[in-house]
């Protein structure tokens, strides 16, 4: 198949590389001249495990190319995917400016039948608006169909998620378009769920909101565990053993962040209010998520008394491990909270340091070159992102480098009893040292142990 993908960010670039890998001919279109030039020279603008290899391999095989021209992409493709940003507005609703702009640009150059696919996460009814816009601005009355094909990619293992999906959702009201989309996805050997366009658009927001609900639920439970001396890890294992519930996304921590969950929950709330069906449950999910970081900061204050001028080390800045994405990172928010209280923060992240420096996200923070450097002379250590390399460190050396052996584990990466035996004063999320023993008998959380590999 000949495919164009408009937008070469996380979703567009991964999708394009994976489509090329299974044999399709792909043109990735982006209006950023520098990005296109860099990609054509093999320079990948984001860190995603396995992505660079796929891009280089398929560019060399002439199955993947990059262009600034939407006209070139439309003229030379059967299917056009729209994968541009849909940022949040102040009220939580979605800014669809980029979607509308791309729809107009497609309309201006559309000459013959094409399938136009919304890959970006968009509010329900967006497909109808895209169709209306193309009809309004296309001067030759060219035939086309609009399809919704939401992505379910997790940063850090997006390549595997696309190559080995749980399901492929195709929202289409056209048999002609559906047949073409099934041909696009034929090489992936995954279940295809066919719906109408509106249902497909709702599936993405509903899915992300439910996952965020699970996270906020276990975080609410963690506060009860701390108040009663129970261990949230054991509670989560007991809950997750029920097949109706499952263990995934029941890991207590600092709360969810990133480019998807906060934006999608806010958008779903805004959508529900716009149609007159307020989603009060999701507002509580948001509140719990915000409160979780505030509870953690209080833990620091209660232990250290005054944060002003304290030397605090922070491990982790990205919103999750295995990515360099720092958008809406809880770790970044926490670092800024601590700095505002007058503390001297030294932070380290295996992939996020450069992003934080470029975007100036933490004014006043000192960025260390290693986790051990960050811990040097620290009066407390905060673990904010559960990078596996942190669990591989010699904790005895970490302890000896610190001024005070106090650890605030915001992701429950370490085992409380082990930390106590090593001489640390340890604070986790909903953890009880008396009920130690991490999931799967390891100090590494289950989500990391099961992390997809490429």
């Amino acid at each position: 198949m000949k495919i164009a993908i408009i937008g070469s960010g996380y979703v567009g670039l991964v999708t394009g590389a994976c489509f090329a890998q299974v044999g399709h001919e792909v043109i990735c279109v982006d209006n950023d001249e520098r990005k296109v030039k860099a990609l054509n020279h093999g320079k990948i603008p984001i860190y995603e495990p396995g992505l660079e290899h796929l891009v280089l391999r398929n560019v060399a095989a002439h199955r993947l190319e990059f262009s600034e021209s939407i006209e070139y992409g439309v003229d030379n493709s059967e299917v056009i995917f729209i994968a541009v940003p849909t940022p949040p507005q102040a009220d939580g609703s979605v800014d669809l400016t980029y979607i509308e702009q791309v729809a107009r640009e497609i309309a201006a150059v559309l000459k013959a039948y094409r399938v136009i696919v919304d890959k970006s996460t968009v509010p329900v009814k967006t497909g109808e608006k895209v169709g209306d816009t193309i009809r309004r601005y296309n001067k030759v009355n060219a035939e086309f169909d609009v399809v919704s094909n939401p992505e379910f990619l997790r940063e850090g293992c997006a390549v595997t998620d696309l190559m080995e999906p749980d399901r492929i959702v195709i929202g289409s009201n056209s048999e002609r378009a559906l047949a073409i989309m099934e041909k696009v996805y034929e090489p992936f050997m995954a279940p295809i769920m066919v719906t109408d366009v509106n249902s497909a658009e709702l599936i993405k927001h509903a899915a992300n909101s439910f996952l965020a609900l699970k996270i906020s639920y276990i975080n609410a439970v963690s506060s009860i565990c701390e108040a009663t001396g129970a261990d949230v890890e054991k509670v989560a294992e007991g809950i997750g053993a029920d097949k109706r519930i499952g263990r995934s996304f029941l890991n207590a921590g600092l709360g969810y962040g990133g480019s998807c969950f906060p934006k999608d929950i806010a958008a779903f709330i805004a959508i529900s209010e716009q149609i007159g069906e307020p989603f009060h449950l999701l507002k509580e999910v948001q509140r719990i998520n915000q409160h979780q970081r505030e509870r953690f900061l209080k833990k620091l204050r209660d232990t250290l008394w005054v944060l002003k001028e304290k030397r605090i080390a922070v491990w982790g800045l990205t919103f999750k491990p295995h990515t360099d994405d720092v958008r809406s990172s809880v770790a970044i928010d926490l670092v800024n909270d601590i700095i505002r209280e007058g503390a001297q923060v030294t932070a380290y992240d295996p992939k996020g340091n450069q992003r934080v420096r470029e975007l100036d996200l933490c004014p006043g923070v000192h960025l260390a070159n290693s986790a051990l450097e960050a811990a040097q002379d620290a009066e407390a250590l905060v673990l904010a992102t559960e990078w596996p390399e942190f669990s591989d460190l010699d904790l005895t050396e970490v302890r000896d480098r610190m001024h005070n052996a106090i650890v605030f584990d915001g992701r429950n990466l370490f085992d409380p009893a082990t930390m106590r035996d090593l001489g640390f004063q340890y604070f986790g999320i909903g953890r009880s040292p008396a009920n130690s023993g991490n999931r799967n008998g390891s100090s590494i959380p289950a989500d990391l142990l099961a992390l997809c590999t490429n």
Side-chain angles (χ1 to χ4, degrees):
M1 301 288 289
K2 294 181 181 296
I3 295 170
I5 298 177
I6 302 174
S8 296
Y10 278 92
V11 173
L13 189 55
V14 172
T15 302
C18 290
F19 279 171
Q21 178 65 18
V22 299
H24 298 314
E25 296 178 28
V26 181
I27 303 167
C28 283
V29 178
D30 200 283
N31 62 2
D32 186 332
E33 181 181 354
R34 287 184 299 177
K35 181 190 287 188
V36 170
K37 186 176 180 180
L39 286 165
N40 278 322
H41 285 85
K43 296 179 180 178
I44 312 302
I46 57 175
Y47 173 74
E48 181 66 37
L51 179 60
E52 182 176 10
H53 169 73
L54 285 188
V55 171
L56 295 178
R57 177 178 180 179
N58 287 285
V59 167
H62 304 292
R63 289 190 297 266
L64 178 63
E65 61 178 308
F66 301 93
S67 173
E68 297 172 58
S69 171
I70 283 184
E71 183 172 12
Y72 176 71
V74 171
D75 285 348
N76 293 280
S77 302
E78 303 162 81
V79 185
I80 298 124
F81 285 80
I82 301 175
V84 295
T86 52
Q89 301 191 100
D91 63 353
S93 62
V94 179
D95 183 352
L96 296 174
T97 302
Y98 298 115
I99 297 284
E100 196 265 354
Q101 180 181 337
V102 167
R104 290 181 62 169
E105 291 181 13
I106 290 172
V109 298
L110 187 64
K111 305 177 184 71
Y113 179 79
R114 297 289 186 269
V115 177
I116 315 298
V117 185
D118 272 338
K119 195 70 173 171
S120 303
T121 300
V122 294
V124 63
K125 311 287 276 186
T126 299
E128 295 177 6
K129 297 294 186 182
V130 168
D132 290 344
T133 299
I134 294 175
R135 279 186 287 273
R136 186 176 301 125
Y137 291 96
N138 181 248
K139 302 302 183 183
V140 298
N141 294 320
E143 289 187 276
F144 68 92
D145 282 306
V146 175
V147 169
S148 175
N149 175 220
E151 52 86 14
F152 301 98
L153 307 181
R154 296 167 297 166
E155 289 184 36
C157 48
V159 170
T160 298
D161 284 346
L162 204 148
M163 297 297 286
E164 301 173 8
D166 294 332
R167 80 293 201 195
I168 296 164
V169 175
I170 300 175
S172 174
N173 301 322
S174 161
E175 292 297 326
R176 182 181 183 182
L178 177 59
I180 291 172
M181 291 298 294
E182 287 177 336
K183 189 176 178 182
V184 169
Y185 280 107
E186 185 177 356
F188 292 89
M189 304 297 291
I192 293 179
M193 178 182 296
V194 177
T195 74
D196 59 276
V197 174
N198 290 345
S199 295
E201 291 170 337
L202 268 177
I203 285 170
K204 177 59 188 290
H205 274 126
N208 275 0
S209 296
F210 185 76
L211 295 175
L213 185 151
K214 287 187 75 173
I215 295 170
S216 284
Y217 177 82
I218 199 63
N219 279 336
V221 169
S222 75
S223 65
I224 298 173
C225 289
E226 290 179 10
T228 59
D231 190 324
V232 73
E233 292 293 308
K234 297 301 182 183
V235 174
E237 287 174 15
I239 297 171
D242 189 324
K243 293 180 181 178
R244 296 169 301 174
I245 298 173
R247 181 63 179 81
S248 62
F249 288 85
L250 285 177
N251 295 321
L254 292 172
Y256 60 78
S259 62
C260 290
F261 281 7
K263 174 174 74 74
D264 290 353
I265 280 81
F268 206 12
I269 290 171
I271 292 166
S272 68
E273 290 180 344
Q274 288 166 6
I275 63 175
E277 296 291 339
F279 210 146
H280 300 297
L281 178 60
L282 287 187
K283 291 184 179 181
E284 185 63 14
V285 168
Q286 283 183 320
R287 190 198 66 78
I288 293 171
N289 196 61
Q290 174 64 26
H291 183 60
Q292 193 70 359
R293 191 177 91 240
E294 294 168 358
R295 285 184 59 240
F296 190 81
L297 190 61
K298 183 177 183 297
K299 218 177 271 188
L300 267 69
R301 292 195 203 100
D302 289 347
T303 305
L304 301 177
W305 191 18
V306 176
L307 296 186
K308 187 176 182 179
E309 298 183 2
K310 291 286 195 310
R311 296 173 61 88
I312 297 178
V314 176
W315 286 355
L317 294 167
T318 55
F319 85 95
K320 63 179 290 188
H322 304 283
T323 179
D324 62 352
D325 196 350
V326 292
R327 290 176 292 176
S328 297
S329 170
V330 179
I332 297 290
D333 291 338
L334 182 62
V335 166
N336 287 326
D337 287 340
I338 297 171
I339 290 174
R340 276 191 290 270
E341 301 220 3
Q344 300 172 17
V345 178
T346 301
Y348 168 74
D349 189 282
K351 296 294 180 181
N353 275 17
Q354 186 60 30
R355 294 285 188 193
V356 170
R357 187 178 290 112
E358 290 172 352
L359 300 172
D360 193 25
L361 294 178
C362 299
V365 72
H366 173 72
L367 295 173
N369 294 315
S370 70
L372 289 175
E373 181 187 322
Q376 188 67 45
D377 298 324
E379 295 170 77
L381 168 64
V382 172
L383 188 140
T385 309
E386 63 275 34
W387 282 92
E389 74 172 60
F390 297 150
S391 65
D392 294 335
L393 291 168
D394 182 344
L395 293 176
T396 301
E397 182 177 0
V398 174
R399 181 200 63 204
D400 292 344
R401 282 175 175 257
M402 295 179 66
H403 186 275
N404 298 324
I406 305 174
V407 172
F408 297 90
D409 187 350
R411 298 298 177 183
N412 287 346
L413 184 66
F414 300 113
D415 175 61
T418 300
M419 298 298 285
R420 179 193 61 207
D421 292 344
L422 288 170
F424 287 96
Q425 188 177 358
Y426 175 84
F427 300 90
I429 304 288
R431 304 303 303 278
S432 169
N435 297 318
S436 60
N438 223 322
R439 50 175 99 90
N440 296 329
S442 168
S443 63
I444 305 176
D447 280 0
L448 290 179
L449 290 172
L451 201 75
C452 44
T453 55
N454 299 289

